[in-house]
């Protein structure tokens, strides 16, 4: 935060310095223009005085100072026009560069959004796969539990039948033993009754 404030302050100082230099240059040019204007006004009589002027193929009487002043003015207008065209060209170039930069920024934002959408889709796919795996495992565990429960029921039923059969056998043997004992007791009683 502190670094960004100092960077912002440095940029402000640089902009202020550039503005001051531009103003100083403008003031300097304005002062020179004023001095030239005063010089022209003071020497106007000499500037418009007719003197013999050699045009290389003919000699004429004309105000040489005025001709030189007009030529200088024409050259200044050409220089200003050239500077204006340069400035316009620079402004167009800056606008084009700004437009290209904006397009590149938008393209980067679209690419970033595309990556986020792709990442989101990938995450949703992974989550869906995990959910499907979880459901599959849950169903497999339930099926295994049902199988184990069915086996346990079958084993319990077999055990109950086996125990019932064993109890039935024991009961039959006990019944036979009881009958054999009862018959043996009856026989003993009869033999004892017969003996008496």
């Amino acid at each position: 935060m502190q670094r960004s404030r100092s960077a912002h302050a440095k940029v402000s100082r640089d902009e202020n310095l550039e503005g001051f230099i531009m103003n100083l240059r403008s003031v300097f040019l304005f002062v020179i223009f004023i001095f030239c204007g005063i010089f022209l006004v003071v020497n106007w009589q000499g500037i418009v005085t007719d003197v013999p002027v050699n045009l290389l193929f003919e000699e004429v009487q004309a105000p040489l100072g005025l001709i030189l002043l007009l030529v200088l003015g024409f050259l200044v207008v050409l220089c200003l026009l050239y500077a204006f065209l340069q400035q316009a060209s620079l402004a167009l170039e800056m606008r084009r560069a700004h437009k290209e930069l904006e397009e590149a920024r938008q393209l980067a934002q679209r690419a970033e959004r595309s990556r986020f959408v792709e990442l989101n889709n990938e995450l949703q796919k992974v989550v869906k796969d995990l959910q499907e795996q979880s459901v599959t495992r849950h169903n497999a565990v339930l099926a295994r539990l049902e199988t184990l429960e069915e086996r346990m029921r079958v084993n319990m039923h077999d055990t109950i039948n086996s125990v019932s059969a064993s109890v039935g056998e024991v009961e039959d043997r006990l019944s036979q033993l009881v009958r054999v004992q009862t018959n043996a007791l009856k026989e003993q009683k009869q033999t004892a009754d017969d003996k008496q």
Side-chain angles (χ1 to χ4, degrees):
M1 184 73 173
Q2 182 69 13
R3 206 179 282 179
S4 68
R5 282 184 187 169
S6 65
H8 183 65
K10 184 177 181 183
V11 168
S12 292
R13 275 184 268 145
D14 290 345
E15 287 175 357
N16 289 340
L17 183 62
E18 284 179 23
F20 176 73
I21 291 173
M22 291 294 279
N23 286 338
L24 189 62
R25 188 181 313 153
S26 298
V27 167
F28 180 70
L29 288 174
F30 184 70
V31 167
I32 289 176
F33 181 73
I34 293 293
F35 281 137
C36 287
I38 291 171
F39 181 77
L40 283 174
V41 169
V42 170
N43 294 305
W44 187 251
Q45 192 63 29
I47 291 173
V48 291
T49 304
D50 285 343
V51 291
V53 177
N54 187 352
L55 300 177
L56 295 179
F57 53 89
E58 187 177 338
E59 193 171 303
V60 292
Q61 287 285 24
L64 181 62
L66 191 57
I67 292 172
L68 291 176
L69 187 61
L70 290 175
V71 169
L72 181 64
F74 180 71
L75 288 176
V76 166
V77 168
L78 279 179
C79 286
L80 288 174
L81 185 62
Y82 176 75
F84 175 75
L85 289 175
Q86 284 292 98
Q87 191 71 17
S89 166
L90 181 63
L92 288 175
E93 185 68 25
M94 290 287 284
R95 180 187 283 172
R96 187 178 60 75
H98 179 69
K99 189 176 181 181
E100 287 176 1
L101 184 65
E102 185 65 26
E103 288 174 358
R105 186 182 62 80
Q106 288 176 355
L107 181 65
Q109 284 179 343
R110 282 194 298 266
E112 192 68 24
R113 274 191 233 120
S114 172
R115 278 183 262 162
F116 280 133
V117 167
E118 186 178 309
L119 181 62
N120 188 20
N121 290 341
E122 189 68 29
L123 284 174
Q124 286 178 351
K125 182 182 175 189
V126 168
V127 167
K128 186 177 179 183
D129 289 346
L130 288 174
Q131 286 175 341
E132 288 174 358
Q133 287 176 359
S134 175
V135 167
T136 303
R137 287 180 182 164
H138 179 71
N139 290 338
V141 167
L142 286 178
R144 183 145 171 93
L145 282 174
E146 286 177 8
T147 304
L148 289 174
E149 190 176 305
E150 184 61 33
R151 283 184 186 167
M152 196 170 82
R153 264 193 239 121
V154 167
N155 286 342
M156 193 183 305
H157 187 5
D158 289 346
T159 303
I160 289 173
N161 286 342
S162 168
V163 168
S164 293
S166 296
V167 168
E169 272 183 42
V170 168
E171 207 173 76
D172 286 345
R173 284 188 184 167
L174 280 176
S175 294
Q176 283 178 354
L177 277 175
V178 168
R179 268 185 274 155
V180 167
Q181 275 299 357
T182 339
N183 285 338
L185 279 177
K186 278 186 190 176
E187 279 179 21
Q188 274 182 359
K189 196 175 184 185
Q190 255 184 4
T191 16
D193 279 343
D194 282 342
K195 277 192 188 176
Q196 274 183 354

